[in-house]
Structures are given as C-alpha cells and as structure tokens.
Amino acid sequence: MFGIVIHGGAGVLRGHHDLEAYRKGLDSALSKGYSSLAEGGSALDAVVAAVYDMEESGAFNAGVGCSLTVDGRAEVDAGIMNGNDLSAGAVASLDSVRHPVLAAKRVMEDTDHVLLVGPGAMAFLETYGIRSDPELVTPVKLQKLNELRQKWVAGEGRLAKNRIVYDRGARHGTVGAVAIDSKGMISSAVSTGGYWLKLSGRVGDSPIPGAGFWADSRFGGAVATGTGEYAIRTTLCRYAVDLLARQECAQSAADAAIAEVTRRFGNGTMGIIVLDKEGDAGFSYNTEGMGRAAFFSGWEKPLVQVFPEDK
Ligand code: GLY
C-alpha cells in the first residue's frame, strides 16, 4: 500500500478568479506525488514532488505564487520531515526563493541543524545554486499589496496584536503533502509565503516541526494550513499525530485538531490534512474551503475537493 494526501491552503476561496487554476494545480501536484510513489520513490520523494509542483504553479501561496510582506518582499518558509527517524529540515524568511521545499530538504540532509533562517540560510543555499528569484515579486502582486495596504490604512481589516491587518478576503494558505510509501515510511512537507501584509521577518507555523508539519512512521503524519500563529500556539500537527498514536483514525484526529483550534481561536483560522499508517486520509478545516486531494494504491480514482459540498 502507498499513497499521498495534499492540500493547497485553507481560506476564502469561493469566487476567486483563479479557482480553476487552483483545482488544476491540485490535480497536477497529486499526480506528481502519486507517480513518484508508483515508480518506487520514497515518501520523501513523493512529498517533495507534490510540493515542488504547487510551488511552481503560481496558483498557490507558495513559491511562485507566494504572498508579499507589508513592505513588498517575498519571504518564504518551508519544512520537511522523515517519519522513520524524525529527521527534519526547515527554512524561514528566505528572500524570494522559488522552491523552498528543496532548501528545507538540504537543511535536513546536509546539515546538523533543523531550521535555518534569513541571510545565513541564503548563504548556505548559494552552495547549491539556490538563490533569490526576482520573478516572485510581480507588478500584479505589488498592485494587490497596494490595495490591501489601503484597506488596512482605512481600518477595514482585522487587527492582530495591533500591528498587522490580516485580511480574510485575501486568499491565504500554504501547500503541503503527507505520503506513505510501500515500505511504510511516512513523510510530510510544507511550503508557504505566509500571509499578505505580514511583517518582514515574521515566521509562521510552516517551518516549525510539530506546528506546521509532523511525521512519525509508527503512527502517521500531518500538515497544517491557515493562520500559522494558531498552529504554533497549539502545536497542531503534533497534536493530531498524538491522537493517531492513541488509536484515533486520520479523520477523527483531523477533526479533533481543528475542533481544538476553533474552540480556542474561532472559525476562519486553520485547516489540516492527516494520513495514518493504515493508509487512511483525514481532512478538516474551519475556513470557507480548503483545497485537498488524495490518492492511494487500490483506489479507483483520486479525490480532489475544495469546498464542503464537493463530492
Ligand atoms: N500557515 C502559513 C503561515 O501562517 O505562515
């Protein structure tokens, strides 16, 4: 048995002008991840293939499609975890890097560290030819930033700690994947631009093991999406995998994790995908929608959904 579960971010998605590209992006990433497993790739290979594809797509808030900081920078975060030995790698506040998931993998495999940030991380990554890509800050994104900044100044947004307006109307999210391979290895990976108007230097849940991602091949794995501060404060992905360790199935672990975050911080905050060692998938979110997809060996066709009513 092998399979993969992915998400393309939880948030306000209905009516968004690029919903078709978003759905196609989910299809494509699922196919890349699943093909990798079907060709004998490991769970790590599969989550990298799926996340890389969503970073390249431009339809998601990661890589090419990443959001901008309040001062117009493309600062991206990513993380990856090998559930066999709990090795993990992550990067934060990378300046305009197109494929931060590859950077996180380098940290996991080629350093003694778990998390590298900012200019130090960029200097390390230069060794591998991973550099800033000016294409991540486009005129279209700068125009959107300008509009959001004007709303912020006009006081239309929601204040968070009196510093940043988090505009729920600005579709947000993260991309992520959890996979199990035929040898039972479970891995997770995540990549994000954070959210529009974030302060430069802000780091969310995505590069924090336990918060934005977790994998333990004995039980399962999880990846979160939404307003990262809430996932950090609840160590959301570790919370979900701990429930798997207590014999919960993937769906009930996902539901319980989102119920906990909703109880503490309200609706419109988070989503999560969970995969357990039996090869079952769980999805839960308290936002309007969450792009999600899954495909396991033995299934007749893949599942690709965005809204609650999607079948
Ligand atoms: N969940 C992505 C972030 O808040 O940065």
Side-chain angles (χ1 to χ4, degrees):
M1 180 273 294
F2 57 86
I4 183 164
V5 185
I6 67 170
H7 74 72
V12 176
L13 295 156
R14 222 176 277 278
H16 205 275
H17 69 278
D18 59 4
L19 197 50
E20 201 185 322
Y22 183 84
R23 285 187 193 270
K24 275 191 186 149
L26 287 171
D27 266 334
S28 168
L30 187 71
S31 158
K32 293 280 188 328
Y34 186 83
S35 300
S36 170
L37 291 167
E39 286 159 16
S42 70
L44 264 181
D45 296 330
V47 293
V48 170
V51 169
Y52 182 101
D53 199 59
M54 287 188 278
E55 289 174 338
E56 188 61 27
S57 142
F60 303 97
N61 178 5
V64 172
C66 73
S67 55
L68 300 183
T69 63
V70 72
D71 52 351
R73 298 162 59 84
E75 289 187 356
V76 295
D77 306 336
I80 189 164
M81 188 155 186
N82 172 343
N84 281 357
D85 60 4
L86 303 192
S87 56
V91 286
S93 293
L94 293 188
D95 179 16
S96 291
V97 167
R98 200 173 177 103
H99 292 296
V101 72
L102 298 183
K105 190 160 182 275
R106 287 295 186 185
V107 173
M108 178 174 75
E109 292 180 343
D110 297 356
T111 79
D112 299 320
H113 311 311
V114 169
L115 175 58
L116 285 184
V117 306
M122 294 301 291
F124 165 72
L125 295 168
E126 174 76 32
T127 325
Y128 301 97
I130 299 176
R131 303 186 180 91
S132 296
D133 180 343
E135 283 184 17
L136 267 62
V137 181
T138 63
V140 171
K141 286 189 191 180
L142 287 170
Q143 187 183 336
K144 176 169 178 169
L145 179 66
N146 196 30
E147 286 163 12
L148 290 170
R149 257 197 313 231
Q150 281 175 11
K151 281 193 197 172
W152 173 27
V153 170
E156 287 177 23
R158 182 164 71 94
L159 288 177
K161 292 283 183 197
N162 302 320
R163 294 296 302 273
I164 276 223
V165 169
Y166 177 72
D167 188 331
R168 289 186 187 218
R171 176 174 59 89
H172 68 285
T174 295
V175 303
V178 191
I180 182 166
D181 65 28
S182 53
K183 294 184 180 145
M185 177 205 238
I186 296 173
S187 298
S188 57
V190 54
S191 178
T192 190
Y195 53 74
W196 289 91
L197 297 174
K198 72 179 182 180
L199 290 178
S200 185
R202 175 266 186 189
V203 175
D205 59 315
S206 301
I208 312 290
F213 63 108
W214 191 255
D216 183 330
S217 301
R218 294 173 301 168
F219 311 119
V223 177
T225 165
T227 308
E229 282 74 5
Y230 303 129
I232 295 172
R233 291 164 68 188
T234 50
T235 53
L236 195 64
C237 288
R238 180 65 199 255
Y239 184 101
V241 176
D242 278 354
L243 290 172
L244 298 180
R246 285 183 231 138
Q247 315 300 325
E248 300 268 356
C249 71
Q251 188 58 52
S252 67
D255 286 340
I258 293 305
E260 170 68 2
V261 91
T262 307
R263 185 176 69 79
R264 289 186 175 273
F265 304 114
N267 276 311
T269 48
M270 292 303 304
I272 196 167
I273 56 171
V274 177
L275 177 154
D276 66 29
K277 69 177 190 324
E278 318 298 341
D280 286 323
F283 311 94
S284 196
Y285 52 98
N286 63 19
T287 51
E288 182 194 64
M290 178 176 81
R292 61 226 186 247
F295 200 16
F296 286 81
S297 54
W299 284 18
E300 273 180 21
K301 61 182 174 75
L303 169 151
V304 182
Q305 299 173 335
V306 178
F307 299 111
E309 67 273 19
D310 289 350
K311 296 285 174 239

